Amino acid sequence: DAGITQSPRHKVTETGTPVTLRCHQTENHRYMYWYRQDPGHGLRLIHYSYGVKDTDKGEVSDGYSVSRSKTEDFLLTLESATSSQTSVYFCAISTTGAFGYTFGSGTRLTVV
Amino acid sequence: LAKTTQPISMDSYEGQEVNITCSHNNIATNDYITWYQQFPSQGPRFIIQGYKTKVTNEVASLFIPADRKSSTLSLPRVSLSDTAVYYCLVGALSGGYQKVTFGTGTKLQVIP
């Protein structure tokens, strides 16, 4: 779908370890996003990027950092994973209007 | 951030029209309203977006009253494959900063 892929699809990690999730797009879209989805909370914006090396915080950015060194790649790093960061993480790109996203297939992260 | 409220679940028979409403009482002037569909283990999929009045595309209609404090997604003649969770999103660009709120979703069950 619109050339957006996330890796890995599943990951189990230990508390306190750093974790990096990758989002890759093939269509040269300017805006890229990281969301997390949790039961009862819907989707919440973590960080977004509006260009290479241009990023900004979303609603739930504490404990996360991002980097975008190339248009096609947007990385999300959990600096020191905690159990509260167990979630499904979705990457998205803007393809239709301001908030018409195309989402990736998600990464299911479990922190034990 | 705009606060959004959706019914938790709805049931409908095949062939019926389904209307799902999202309340967003504190919507801001610049906010757009977008609806997504999500199947299990997949990322959300864009359905429709609007600002005011009525928008229609090949799969749905979106009704937004003049006060914009709510919006209604209308799915004509649903089929079993429309069983999914539907999310509304209210969001705007404000001074370059993106403010986005997803609803917690409405689980639609289509019954044969």
Side-chain angles (χ1 to χ4, degrees), chain B residues 35-73:
Chain B
W35 283 82
Y36 289 85
Q37 176 191 56
Q38 187 177 29
F39 298 111
S41 301
Q42 295 184 21
R45 185 173 70 176
F46 173 86
I47 302 173
I48 197 166
Q49 181 176 84
Y51 182 77
K52 61 181 178 181
T53 62
K54 177 183 175 181
V55 180
T56 298
N57 62 21
E58 63 275 10
V59 299
S61 294
L62 176 60
F63 299 92
I64 305 170
D67 66 7
R68 304 198 331 119
K69 292 185 177 182
S70 66
S71 58
T72 299
L73 173 71

Side-chain angles (χ1 to χ4, degrees), chain B residues 12-17 77-81 109-112:
Chain B
S12 176
Y13 288 101
E14 272 193 295
Q16 289 188 331
E17 179 183 74
R77 298 180 299 281
V78 293
S79 64
L80 296 177
S81 63
Q109 180 69 50
V110 180
I111 305 164

Side-chain angles (χ1 to χ4, degrees), chain A residues 1 9 31 33 35 37 40-45 48 50 56-59 90 96-105, chain B residues 1 30 32 34 36 38 41-46 49 87 89-93 96-105:
Chain A
D1 228 342
R9 290 296 312 275
Y31 282 85
Y33 307 82
Y35 280 88
Q37 185 172 36
H41 289 279
L43 290 108
R44 292 178 292 174
L45 181 63
Y48 66 96
Y50 46 96
D56 211 338
K57 297 178 180 179
E59 179 188 357
F90 287 102
T96 307
F99 299 100
Y101 300 132
T102 296
F103 283 87
S105 299
Chain B
L1 290 176
N30 295 336
Y32 279 76
T34 313
Y36 289 85
Q38 187 177 29
S41 301
Q42 295 184 21
R45 185 173 70 176
F46 173 86
Q49 181 176 84
Y87 293 93
L89 176 155
V90 175
L93 288 172
Y97 180 68
Q98 297 210 356
K99 299 181 179 181
V100 186
T101 303
F102 268 93
T104 51

Side-chain angles (χ1 to χ4, degrees), chain A residues 13-108:
Chain A
T13 192
E14 294 185 349
T15 299
T17 60
V19 177
T20 295
L21 309 182
R22 181 178 182 247
C23 179
H24 179 78
Q25 62 145 330
T26 59
E27 297 194 357
N28 207 35
H29 289 282
R30 180 183 175 193
Y31 282 85
M32 299 184 74
Y33 307 82
W34 278 107
Y35 280 88
R36 61 177 290 175
Q37 185 172 36
D38 305 287
H41 289 279
L43 290 108
R44 292 178 292 174
L45 181 63
I46 305 171
H47 281 280
Y48 66 96
S49 170
Y50 46 96
V52 173
K53 298 186 179 179
D54 292 324
T55 64
D56 211 338
K57 297 178 180 179
E59 179 188 357
V60 291
S61 60
D62 288 348
Y64 302 94
S65 62
V66 290
S67 65
R68 192 168 179 198
S69 58
K70 299 184 290 184
T71 299
E72 58 266 36
D73 290 325
F74 191 32
L75 304 180
L76 176 71
T77 297
L78 288 66
E79 295 142 7
S80 177
T82 67
S83 58
S84 65
Q85 293 176 312
T86 291
S87 185
V88 180
Y89 291 86
F90 287 102
C91 177
I93 54 178
S94 280
T95 52
T96 307
F99 299 100
Y101 300 132
T102 296
F103 283 87
S105 299
T107 295
R108 183 173 294 276

